[in-house]
Amino acid sequence: MDSAPTLNSVPSAGRASSLEGAQAARRAWTVAALTLLALVAGAAFRSTTGALLEPLESEFGWTRSATSGAVAANLVVYGLTAPFAAAAMERFGVKRVVAGGLLLTAAGSALTTVMSELWQLWILWGAFIGAGTGVMALVFGSIVANRWFAARRGLVMGLFSGANACGQLIFLPLIVHLAHSPGWRAAALAVAFVAALAVPLWLLGFADRPQDLGLRPYGENPDDPQPDPVPSPVPAWKLAVVVLREAACRRVFWILAFTFFVCGWSTNGLVQTHFIPAAHDHGMPATTAAGLLAIIGVFDIAGTVLSGWLTDRFDPALLLVAYYGLRGLSLLFINTMLAPAIEPPLWIFIVFYGLDWVATVPPTVALCREHFGIQRAGIVFGWVFAAHMVGAGIASTAAGWIRESTGSYALAWMSAAVLCGVAALSLCVIRSPGRRLPPGRPPGDAAGT
């Protein structure tokens, strides 16, 4: 007789656990969707710089090296903001920090419409838009993925990485059209409007941690200990520096920083900034080149999602060896493929390079988590990401200087190809420290160490 209540309580507890799990899953994917929107917006705002180079040069008489320098400032500030933004998110919460980044981006873009001097472009593209979009960099995505997902982290990071392509895909052709029809000021105001409009949506729907809502991360084993959600009392800037000092003592950090430096050099700094003017040098209309860059974004979405799926199942270091090696191979031939019209070989590059564009992000995030632990992974990746954008900034300036000095981008493409080859070789010495699966975790959902 006494056993009846116990038997009846088992299915009741099971139902409660199932309902809690379903609620956690719904909330986690809602947060992921809002994160995707913020990442799309950040990528879209940054993509405007390459599209506005020629209109600004035409109106103000600035040189390509001068405007490329402003882009370089934007990329470097964007990257260096990331680790401090990650530390600020740990200290003050993701919601407030990202809302501040959106407002800063809106202000910077709106103020460009009244600028008249080159130094103002550097400040607005660098300090305002660089810092504002730096808050919405993929470091922010890695924090959300680590906090809200115990399962499918690689896949989620693949989706977040693909958001970069979505922003480019959705907004870049529109920005180019606005810049060449109503004028570049209309394009800048469109960016400011979208950034400001995103703030209330973000504040209403986002939550910093599942623990704040009495939930567990999606896919987490109920027997796992809950992390302490109390913010660190250490100032954000100091926490970022302390983590850098600790990480810098390990060889794996420098390899990841170098390879991501090369990643930034060969993507944001070179292709995203200079593909449109380089194609225009070969007689291709700017609107056509912008469309091709957007198509690269289409294939980037597929490539990064696939990369996230692969990262959950294979050694991320070996994936990176393949990604950098193949990227370097594609860059060897791009200069010979550009022409006034779109020839078939160029389509091969667009598809191939698109699939590899930011496929490097999910395995790099996984290696940061596995080698430095989940509590430090966001800030460590922030510093690795900073190296990415420093590489992008140097490449942006260097490619502009090469174009002015030689009249061609050929040397810029070749140098990026060589760097990709060196990056692939350097990764051969990294091995994952072990991808343990907690009890009850389905195969392929490595949480890292």
Side-chain angles (χ1 to χ4, degrees):
M1 297 295 293
D2 294 337
S3 63
T6 303
L7 290 172
N8 291 333
S9 67
V10 174
S12 176
R15 284 193 299 270
S17 177
S18 177
L19 289 172
E20 182 180 347
Q23 184 182 3
R26 285 194 301 271
R27 191 60 176 169
W29 288 109
T30 299
V31 168
L34 289 169
T35 302
L36 279 169
L37 289 175
L39 290 168
V40 165
F45 304 151
R46 284 191 303 102
S47 71
T48 61
T49 55
L52 298 183
L53 286 182
E54 290 185 341
L56 289 172
E57 292 166 1
S58 176
E59 177 170 333
F60 294 103
W62 297 331
T63 64
R64 178 59 50 84
S65 59
T67 54
S68 295
V71 174
N74 170 272
L75 294 172
V76 171
V77 172
Y78 170 77
L80 292 178
T81 298
F84 295 98
M89 289 173 189
E90 297 290 350
R91 180 74 175 84
F92 302 109
V94 176
K95 180 188 288 189
R96 284 188 285 180
V97 174
V98 172
L102 285 166
L103 291 173
L104 191 60
T105 301
S109 189
L111 288 171
T112 59
T113 62
V114 296
M115 70 181 178
S116 58
E117 302 291 338
L118 181 62
W119 64 267
Q120 295 169 346
L121 177 69
W122 279 62
I123 290 176
L124 293 172
W125 274 11
F128 279 70
I129 297 177
T133 56
V135 167
M136 295 173 283
L138 283 171
V139 175
F140 145 60
S142 73
I143 290 175
V144 173
N146 286 335
R147 285 184 179 181
W148 279 92
F149 292 85
R152 310 294 184 229
R153 280 191 185 126
L155 178 62
V156 171
M157 273 311 302
L159 292 169
F160 288 166
S161 303
N164 180 79
C166 284
Q168 179 176 296
L169 168 66
I170 295 170
F171 286 96
L172 185 56
L174 175 61
I175 292 299
V176 171
H177 175 73
L178 290 174
H180 285 80
S181 185
W184 66 267
R185 288 179 177 82
L189 288 174
V191 169
F193 176 76
V194 172
L197 192 64
V199 174
L201 178 65
W202 174 258
L203 291 176
L204 287 173
F206 190 83
D208 281 332
R209 302 173 186 267
Q211 292 85 357
D212 296 343
L213 305 177
L215 301 172
R216 283 181 171 269
Y218 169 72
E220 184 178 71
N221 191 320
D223 296 328
D224 287 349
Q226 288 273 32
D228 183 7
V230 178
S232 170
V234 179
W237 69 267
K238 186 174 182 180
L239 179 60
V241 172
V242 168
V243 172
L244 172 63
R245 187 167 61 241
E246 294 173 353
C249 296
R250 302 180 60 183
R251 181 179 63 173
V252 65
F253 171 78
W254 291 107
I255 293 175
L256 292 174
F258 167 70
T259 55
F260 233 43
F261 173 93
V262 173
C263 183
W265 182 296
S266 56
T267 55
N268 300 79
L270 183 57
V271 175
Q272 187 172 46
T273 303
H274 289 282
F275 180 81
I276 294 175
H280 190 64
D281 284 349
H282 289 260
M284 183 179 294
T287 51
T288 303
L292 289 176
L293 203 56
I295 292 172
I296 286 178
V298 174
F299 289 99
D300 180 24
I301 297 170
T304 52
V305 172
L306 176 61
S307 178
W309 183 85
L310 292 172
T311 300
D312 282 332
R313 289 157 175 81
F314 300 100
D315 186 338
L318 295 180
L319 292 176
L320 289 174
V321 171
Y323 296 161
Y324 284 110
L326 293 171
R327 181 183 298 178
L329 185 64
S330 70
L331 288 170
L332 284 174
F333 301 102
I334 178 59
N335 196 61
T336 62
M337 297 177 185
L338 293 173
I342 304 175
E343 302 293 340
L346 184 58
W347 283 116
I348 297 174
F349 172 82
I350 295 299
V351 174
F352 186 82
Y353 194 84
L355 291 172
D356 192 42
W357 178 271
V358 289
T360 55
V361 174
T364 302
V365 170
L367 287 171
C368 289
R369 184 173 63 248
E370 292 176 0
H371 285 273
F372 297 96
I374 196 169
Q375 298 300 321
R376 291 288 189 260
I379 300 175
V380 171
F381 180 63
W383 285 112
V384 171
F385 187 81
H388 181 283
M389 300 317 298
V390 169
I394 294 174
S396 174
T397 302
W401 179 82
I402 288 171
R403 167 64 177 77
E404 280 197 351
S405 301
T406 67
S408 168
Y409 282 100
L411 184 59
W413 303 122
M414 186 65 65
S415 63
V418 172
L419 284 172
C420 286
V422 175
L425 290 175
S426 70
L427 284 156
C428 293
V429 302
I430 294 182
R431 289 293 180 270
S432 296
R435 317 192 81 201
R436 300 190 300 271
L437 298 178
R441 184 74 51 79
D445 289 327
T449 57

